[in-house]
Amino acid sequence: MCLNGGTCIPTDEYALPHKNFYCICPIGYIGERCEIAEKKIHILFEKNIIISQVIFIHFLEIIKEMNPKRSTILKTVPIQQDSLTIYWSLPFHLIFIEFKNKNYYLAAIERTYKQPATYSTTVKSSDHCPNINQLFNKTFVQMHIIRRIKYYHLPCQQHPLNLSCFYDDFYLCFCYNLEKQRLTNCFEFNHNMTFDCFGESVCENGGQCFQDSPTCPQRSSCICQPCFYGIRCQFSSNRFGFSLDGILGYYIQPNIDIVHQSTMVKVSLALTIVFIIIGYINGILSFIAFNNKTICEVGCGLYLLTSSITTLLTTTMFGLKFWVLLLAQMKIITNRLFLHIQCLSIDLLLRVFLNMDQWLNACIAVERTVVIINAIGFKKKRSKKIAKLVIIILSIFIISTCMYDPFYRRLMDDAIDDDSRI
């Protein structure tokens, strides 16, 4: 049966008579029975390297007297993350990282491939692969490729410490040491290769489909247009407005403690704690001040007292919303029923309390205007009765106008590369 935690799926004996089951393997294992451990590759980037969110990783297997065999995968790197982990099963000798606009880095050279093993490498500034325009003068660059390629060993010899590789329109070259010499090895490299999923893209909203091989692909990914995200670019940040989920959700890294989260998450946590403390102080002091018989003899006092209560409730709901989002994205809270209930309830209550507080402030302004107009003719008892009625009507009105919200809410599962989240 399936090994290493693989899931066994029975097959139809009529559809597949030669096979009784097949295995869905967990991350890190492949094979018919998940018996083969993939190579775990951990890549760390230096702090001064600007990382784009979408990068291409080119694996090259050197084959004697043949062009290197190339396999390419697309990876998404969360914002402010400076490392990534890849599971790879095919042999390789070179790894090149490609950022936007043909910005290449030589990530690894493995002279003898070892499988399985864990491989770690750090990409440094000196691993950057410049274009030949930056290494040679304009006259040399305009020469025919056959004439200029015989001089491609010079950059490696002239810059032995800070040059690992370079490229032109046709070749990708890397520097290496042979005995006491610094030499160059160049191979053909298609910089404009696009694996477009054979014209059968599953990407939505204008996303570009990409496969790891033009002949026998095993993986596919989507490059999304701005403001779209998700494994198929199916989600849009335009619809979130100022929701915490859309603003902060994808900054929170799963399975990583709060100490090692990004700066934005830490700053958001600190600001949230400050807002909650200030909100509770404001709400409690307001409640103490306005919970007075003399003040509540007029409608304005009732509005202020109710507003202090809604302030406390709004602060509580906001705090719950933030902490549930944080813990859920960190995968500390995984109970789907709980997450579904909070998805339907917390946002609804937060919207109701915020709207209620705004309407109460409007009522306070209206009553103060009435007081100024009526002057000594203002009737306190009548004002108090109207205020009680208005508060009840407002509560019913706001709740009824917000009740549509839960019907359009649902938990959305998304899995990008090895990162799955709700």
Side-chain angles (χ1 to χ4, degrees):
M1 303 298 283
C2 302
L3 305 175
N4 298 307
T7 303
C8 181
I9 306 296
T11 60
D12 188 343
E13 60 180 348
Y14 297 103
L16 296 172
H18 61 284
K19 195 172 185 179
N20 296 326
F21 67 93
Y22 65 91
C23 297
I24 299 177
C25 301
I27 295 172
Y29 294 94
I30 58 172
E32 290 190 0
R33 300 181 61 192
C34 308
E35 73 278 10
I36 303 173
E38 291 186 296
K39 189 162 190 169
K40 184 178 181 181
I41 304 170
H42 183 72
I43 301 175
L44 176 67
F45 297 92
E46 271 190 347
K47 296 293 184 182
N48 57 346
I49 296 177
I50 300 175
I51 306 172
S52 57
Q53 277 193 277
V54 178
I55 64 175
F56 292 98
I57 304 174
H58 305 289
F59 294 88
L60 298 166
E61 180 187 2
I62 306 300
I63 303 174
K64 191 175 182 180
E65 298 181 357
M66 293 180 63
N67 285 331
K69 183 179 179 182
R70 169 183 170 183
S71 298
T72 301
I73 61 171
L74 181 145
K75 290 284 289 186
T76 54
V77 183
I79 299 173
Q80 297 188 356
Q81 183 171 315
D82 59 357
S83 65
L84 57 91
T85 301
I86 310 160
Y87 291 92
W88 191 252
S89 58
L90 300 177
F92 69 89
H93 298 98
L94 297 170
I95 301 178
F96 283 92
I97 305 292
E98 180 184 353
F99 298 142
K100 290 182 178 180
N101 302 320
K102 298 179 182 178
N103 191 8
Y104 295 99
Y105 284 84
L106 177 60
I109 298 178
E110 192 170 49
R111 299 183 184 278
T112 304
Y113 180 74
K114 299 176 182 178
Q115 170 75 22
T118 299
Y119 186 89
S120 297
T121 183
T122 300
V123 179
K124 305 175 183 177
S125 300
S126 58
D127 296 323
H128 180 246
C129 306
N131 189 274
I132 59 168
N133 294 318
Q134 301 172 254
L135 302 173
F136 297 98
N137 59 42
K138 186 176 181 180
T139 303
F140 179 85
V141 172
Q142 292 177 346
M143 293 170 58
H144 192 275
I145 182 64
I146 296 177
R147 294 186 59 190
R148 70 171 187 249
I149 197 170
K150 60 184 178 181
Y151 297 102
Y152 275 12
H153 63 284
L154 294 178
C156 294
Q157 294 177 352
Q158 295 171 354
H159 308 278
L161 299 178
N162 57 3
L163 183 66
S164 299
C165 52
F166 59 93
Y167 71 96
D168 63 11
D169 294 337
F170 307 100
Y171 292 92
L172 187 59
C173 306
F174 67 95
C175 304
Y176 68 99
N177 295 317
L178 180 63
E179 296 179 353
K180 295 183 179 181
Q181 290 184 312
R182 184 79 167 161
L183 302 178
T184 304
N185 193 345
C186 297
F187 50 88
E188 291 183 7
F189 191 87
N190 187 351
H191 301 283
N192 301 312
M193 184 177 290
T194 56
F195 308 150
D196 60 353
C197 301
F198 301 103
E200 298 181 0
S201 173
V202 296
C203 305
E204 302 175 14
N205 298 307
Q208 181 183 355
C209 187
F210 179 85
Q211 291 176 317
D212 59 352
S213 172
T215 54
C216 186
Q218 297 181 351
R219 311 181 189 188
S220 65
S221 303
C222 293
I223 303 176
C224 302
Q225 297 291 334
C227 298
F228 293 96
Y229 62 97
I231 191 172
R232 298 191 308 275
C233 308
Q234 70 272 34
F235 302 135
S236 171
S237 58
N238 290 331
R239 301 175 185 175
F240 280 108
F242 291 102
S243 170
L244 274 177
D245 303 75
I247 296 172
L248 192 62
Y250 273 76
Y251 284 89
I252 304 171
Q253 300 306 309
N255 303 315
I256 297 178
D257 57 59
I258 191 64
V259 177
H260 297 94
Q261 291 288 342
S262 65
T263 303
M264 182 172 182
V265 176
K266 294 177 183 177
V267 171
S268 300
L269 175 60
L271 290 175
T272 300
I273 293 173
V274 172
F275 291 157
I276 291 173
I277 293 173
I278 294 174
Y280 274 122
I281 292 174
N282 178 42
I284 292 170
L285 293 179
S286 298
F287 181 80
I288 294 172
F290 300 126
N291 189 20
N292 184 287
K293 289 184 178 180
T294 304
I295 295 176
C296 292
E297 287 179 355
V298 294
C300 190
L302 291 177
Y303 294 140
L304 289 169
L305 179 62
T306 309
S307 178
S308 64
I309 296 172
T310 57
T311 298
L312 289 171
L313 293 173
T314 301
T315 303
T316 302
M317 289 299 107
F318 175 74
L320 282 174
K321 173 67 179 177
F322 180 86
W323 282 106
V324 169
L325 174 65
L326 180 65
L327 297 177
Q329 295 301 321
M330 291 172 62
K331 293 191 176 180
I332 295 175
I333 297 178
T334 56
N335 187 292
R336 196 171 184 87
L337 178 61
F338 171 79
L339 292 175
H340 184 68
I341 293 173
Q342 70 83 26
C343 176
L344 299 179
S345 60
I346 292 182
D347 287 275
L348 171 64
L349 293 174
L350 187 58
R351 184 190 295 266
V352 168
F353 296 143
L354 283 171
N355 290 343
M356 187 69 180
D357 192 63
Q358 292 172 355
W359 276 103
L360 289 171
N361 290 332
C363 291
I364 293 169
V366 170
E367 179 156 313
R368 286 176 176 173
T369 304
V370 172
V371 170
I372 294 173
I373 294 173
N374 293 336
I376 58 174
F378 179 75
K379 297 180 180 180
K380 294 183 178 181
K381 291 184 178 180
R382 184 182 178 186
S383 168
K384 185 176 180 180
K385 289 181 180 179
I386 293 175
K388 290 180 179 180
L389 184 62
V390 167
I391 291 172
I392 295 172
I393 293 174
L394 276 179
S395 301
I396 297 172
F397 173 74
I398 292 172
I399 292 173
S400 61
T401 55
C402 294
M403 281 304 296
Y404 73 91
D405 188 71
F407 294 101
Y408 294 93
R409 287 187 173 273
R410 65 187 186 278
L411 293 179
M412 297 185 297
D413 296 278
D414 189 29
I416 299 179
D417 300 325
D418 303 330
D419 174 19
S420 61
R421 59 176 75 223
I422 298 177

